[in-house]
Amino acid sequence: MSDNIEGKIVVITGASSGLGEATARFLSGEGAAVVLGARREQRIQSLARELSAHGRKALAVTTDVTQYEQVKRLVDAAVASYGRIDVMLNNAGLMPHSPLERLKIDDWNRMIDVNLKGVLYGIAAALPHMKAQRRGHIINVSSVAGHKVRPGSAVYAATKSAVLVLSEGLRQEVKPYNIRTTVISPGALATELANSITEPDVAESIRAFVRETALPADSFARAVAFAISQPEEMDVNEILFRPTRQEL
Ligand SMILES: NC(=O)c1ccc[n+]([C@@H]2O[C@H](COP(=O)([O-])OP(=O)(O)OC[C@H]3O[C@@H](n4cnc5c(N)ncnc54)[C@H](OP(=O)(O)O)[C@@H]3O)[C@@H](O)[C@H]2O)c1
């Protein structure tokens, strides 16, 4: 599988925990250079130090994906350090679920800013480089929630279904530039995602669901690796997966 991963320059947003961190570790183990973006500077710096200590190429750039200039700085740092960008993994996200009637407007805005605009900013930062290179791979993270809405998840699901639509539009538009696009929709995975829930009763029920159902975060990393490792002529456009025991 590692044939088309080794030596690739992979930028990952949301690399300080959960799926982003697991993917950084996995791809680094397969020989990729990883460029880590997130707000928690200490976490990404110590991950980059750890990977570097094992002889891997890794760089950490403190990044808030709600700020386009910061996402551009992250991607530009990858190109300045390693000469190009092969993969942009737009993974940063949060999931402060709550019923709409609770009017958690700040949570709604944060989800739109991070889950949707953050992905757009990642595309905006990577696309000019990939167009110039005439190759690259943009991977966006949606969710099972992008396919199925449930009570309490309406805004999160709206941002994640927007990521599906955006990814299909992107796929069609970047054909002339030889750029691959993948959107990955995971089911329940064990990460820190429930920490973003601001309603205690909702957080408790999601944590119980995750305890009973979730897969380890490296299941996602293997899905990313599958998409990246295919020959350049093969464009894996969509991956949807769940724990075998997850019903919805
Ligand atoms: N876990 C699941 O079951 C599941 C299922 C489907 C989809 N997903 C999606 O997977 C992605 C990763 O989530 P996760 O499960 O790994 O949760 P997580 O452990 O909470 O990780 C979320 C990551 O996003 C980053 N992030 C949040 N706001 C950010 C901002 N403004 N700027 C930059 N980075 C930001 C966090 O870093 P900082 O706080 O350090 O900035 C963290 O690294 C999300 O898009 C989520 O919607 C997760």
Side-chain angles (χ1 to χ4, degrees):
M1 179 188 269
S2 65
D3 282 359
N4 204 17
I5 297 178
E6 189 166 4
K8 282 200 161 165
I9 315 304
V10 181
V11 177
I12 302 174
T13 68
S16 58
S17 64
L19 308 187
E21 178 185 348
T23 305
R25 289 181 187 284
F26 191 96
L27 296 180
S28 174
E30 299 284 310
V34 291
V35 182
L36 315 172
R39 292 165 306 170
R40 285 172 291 178
E41 182 172 10
Q42 279 202 328
R43 288 220 191 177
I44 53 172
Q45 292 290 2
S46 86
L47 178 56
R49 273 196 304 274
E50 181 192 322
L51 299 175
S52 303
H54 286 89
R56 308 297 187 186
K57 288 185 178 155
L59 181 70
V61 182
T62 310
T63 307
D64 181 340
V65 299
T66 68
Q67 307 300 314
Y68 167 64
E69 286 305 325
Q70 293 191 26
V71 187
K72 184 173 184 311
R73 189 180 62 185
L74 168 71
V75 170
D76 290 351
V79 175
S81 299
Y82 301 122
R84 61 179 199 280
I85 171 174
D86 295 310
V87 180
M88 179 74 194
L89 175 57
N90 289 309
N91 163 74
L94 71 169
M95 189 192 71
H97 279 344
S98 62
L100 289 167
E101 64 179 356
R102 295 196 195 174
L103 307 184
K104 302 286 292 186
I105 289 167
D106 287 349
D107 286 349
W108 301 351
N109 284 329
R110 286 196 301 140
M111 281 189 276
I112 292 164
D113 287 346
V114 176
N115 299 1
L116 179 53
K117 289 166 79 175
V119 172
L120 279 167
Y121 294 161
I123 293 168
L127 203 46
H129 294 292
M130 291 181 177
K131 274 176 67 179
Q133 296 167 180
R134 296 194 78 78
R135 66 181 275 160
H137 193 166
I138 296 176
I139 304 178
N140 298 329
V141 182
S142 178
S143 169
V144 162
H147 297 257
K148 285 199 188 300
V149 65
R150 306 261 301 143
S153 72
V155 180
Y156 180 73
T159 63
K160 291 299 184 179
S161 80
V163 170
L164 289 177
V165 172
L166 179 60
S167 301
E168 172 58 11
L170 177 71
R171 184 190 73 77
Q172 295 177 33
E173 290 188 24
V174 298
K175 285 289 125 191
Y177 309 114
N178 190 39
I179 296 170
R180 302 194 292 178
T181 66
T182 304
V183 60
I184 304 183
S185 300
L189 299 167
T191 68
E192 299 176 16
L193 196 61
N195 294 352
S196 63
I197 302 174
T198 55
E199 296 290 272
D201 59 327
V202 179
E204 189 36 53
S205 79
I206 296 289
R207 286 204 176 92
F209 172 71
V210 168
R211 270 195 304 275
E212 282 165 22
T213 317
L215 297 175
D218 72 343
S219 331
F220 172 83
R222 292 198 305 276
V224 173
F226 172 77
I228 297 176
S229 64
Q230 300 310 312
E232 289 299 317
E233 67 198 12
M234 176 166 165
D235 191 9
V236 177
N237 302 130
E238 293 192 40
I239 298 176
L240 166 62
F241 72 96
R242 295 173 173 81
T244 307
R245 56 188 166 257
Q246 181 177 343
E247 187 184 344
L248 293 169

